[in-house]
Amino acid sequence: MNKKKELGEIPPVFPNGWFALMESNDLAKNSSKFIQALGENFAVFRDADGEVHVLDAYCPHLGANLAIGGKVRGNCIECPFHGWLFDGNSGQCTSIPYSSSKPPVQAKVKSWPCAESLGFIMVWYHAEAEEPFWQPPQIKGVSDGEFSFCGRSEHYISTHIQDLPENGSDVAHLNVLHTAGIPAGPRLVDLHGFLSKIFTHSWTASWKQGDPSHTSTVALTHTGKVLNWRVPFMDIISNIEQKGPGIVILRFDSLFGLGQGVLVQTVTPVEPLMQRMVHRFYFSNPWLKIVGKIFLYGENVQVS
Ligand code: FES
Ligand SMILES: [Fe+2]
């Protein structure tokens, strides 16, 4: 090993972009949650009007956690220790209950740009603290509630977040690693066993850098075979969009001829080398949610 090798410029630990902190339906009005991710401590709360706010969690007075035991009052959160009140938009302390003086300007917590998108509460993270220069996506069918929510899944993956978008563009591995169908199960050792031959996948895919540069797309075609016989209704064409490092959207124009599907994937670094990946699946046909559930299960086998 060349010990004289220069390290060069080391990039920031976490990349810039929008990242899911939690799912929208896990945060009721007038409630708060403490979330640790991206090397930060977040107090996430929803006010009575339904608007979400994200502040640094620890109170600048004596360090209590605003999200644990703090009360939501209007668009502010009240510290559970001495009752100082912090504005959810600016992070400024607006009132100290036992003082008639105006709170000092330095009584302030950092407030984070946040948004709700596709069933998730997202925060904008930028290593140099720049303001958002793109917004998290809204999608017809999902954002307007027209499609039915079919289920969710969650994986913790021990890797750097950069490996995941790079894996998405690595189309060469699809016909090596992702050929075995659901019967083979998620274990790598079963990939070439008898059960892996019952139902098989084959893929064609092409990756393209997007414009703007935080995006990319993969055009993916899937063919399904049962005992080596092609089953035409299992042909699936999907369009996959990467939006920054933390969001991926897979759209299926026709899932087994039964409806349109959207799989939303978010990836959030909970530590530098530990990622939380969440999938939520939406299907246009409300009578056949079971199709969405089976599809999500198959997706989970592939992820595992
Ligand atoms: S620690 Fe928050 S008000 Fe004192
Ligand atoms: Fe893969």
Side-chain angles (χ1 to χ4, degrees):
M1 200 167 101
N2 180 3
K3 293 208 170 134
K4 290 201 184 113
K5 195 173 161 194
E6 283 184 22
L7 274 179
E9 292 233 345
I10 298 176
V13 176
F14 302 109
N16 305 329
W18 287 96
F19 296 95
L21 291 182
M22 58 187 298
E23 284 150 274
S24 290
N25 54 2
D26 289 334
L27 190 66
K29 284 181 180 175
N30 291 320
S31 72
S32 61
K33 285 264 161 70
F34 175 51
I35 305 284
Q36 290 181 297
L38 296 150
E40 304 286 344
N41 298 291
F42 299 105
V44 185
F45 69 96
R46 191 187 292 285
D47 65 28
D49 295 331
E51 203 181 325
V52 171
H53 308 272
V54 179
L55 300 177
D56 265 355
Y58 291 112
C59 180
H61 178 218
L62 286 178
N65 189 324
L66 300 173
I68 298 179
K71 287 200 186 73
V72 179
R73 299 204 185 280
N75 67 352
C76 299
I77 190 160
E78 183 187 279
C79 179
F81 204 171
H82 308 91
W84 293 22
L85 198 63
F86 294 90
D87 184 294
N89 295 324
S90 66
Q92 181 65 49
C93 175
T94 55
S95 134
I96 298 174
Y98 46 87
S99 165
S100 52
S101 314
K102 193 167 176 252
V105 284
Q106 62 270 38
K108 186 175 183 180
V109 284
K110 180 178 165 106
S111 99
W112 293 82
C114 61
E116 290 193 79
S117 159
L118 310 175
F120 293 89
I121 294 173
M122 307 246 181
V123 72
W124 170 257
Y125 177 88
H126 194 283
E128 282 88 35
E130 280 183 28
E131 290 297 310
F133 42 83
W134 55 278
Q135 289 301 314
Q138 303 297 341
I139 296 181
K140 191 175 153 12
V142 178
S143 302
D144 54 22
E146 202 184 297
F147 287 11
S148 301
F149 172 62
C150 298
R152 69 179 294 283
S153 66
E154 185 170 322
H155 291 82
Y156 281 80
I157 305 174
S158 172
T159 190
H160 190 274
I161 189 170
Q162 184 167 340
D163 290 332
L164 296 170
E166 283 186 2
N167 178 254
S169 65
D170 171 18
V171 295
H173 83 283
L174 294 175
N175 283 318
V176 179
L177 193 61
H178 294 289
T179 53
I182 287 177
R187 290 167 10 123
L188 213 47
V189 289
D190 297 329
L191 268 191
H192 302 290
F194 167 71
L195 291 175
S196 70
K197 311 282 187 279
I198 296 174
F199 173 54
T200 53
H201 304 283
S202 70
W203 314 88
T204 55
S206 61
W207 180 89
K208 237 178 45 203
Q209 168 75 58
D211 180 19
S213 62
H214 67 268
T215 64
S216 65
T217 56
V218 176
L220 183 71
T221 309
H222 167 268
T223 307
K225 288 183 182 168
V226 173
L227 297 175
N228 228 15
W229 289 86
R230 182 172 172 185
V231 184
F233 92 93
M234 284 178 170
D235 289 358
I236 299 171
I237 297 174
S238 64
N239 176 50
I240 306 172
E241 297 165 82
Q242 177 91 41
K243 307 268 188 194
I247 306 168
V248 180
I249 297 155
L250 291 85
R251 293 182 217 234
F252 307 91
D253 283 343
S254 173
L255 206 54
F256 315 125
L258 301 171
Q260 294 167 276
V262 176
L263 181 80
V264 182
Q265 171 184 293
T266 60
V267 178
T268 305
V270 289
E271 292 174 10
L273 296 178
M274 180 59 72
Q275 314 305 318
R276 180 175 59 236
M277 175 187 277
V278 177
H279 285 148
R280 288 174 68 90
F281 191 76
Y282 299 87
F283 195 45
S284 65
N285 189 331
W287 308 107
L288 290 171
K289 275 189 179 183
I290 186 71
V291 174
K293 286 188 188 299
I294 293 169
F295 182 85
L296 186 62
Y297 178 74
E299 171 73 17
N300 280 317
V301 168
Q302 296 294 343
V303 170
S304 299

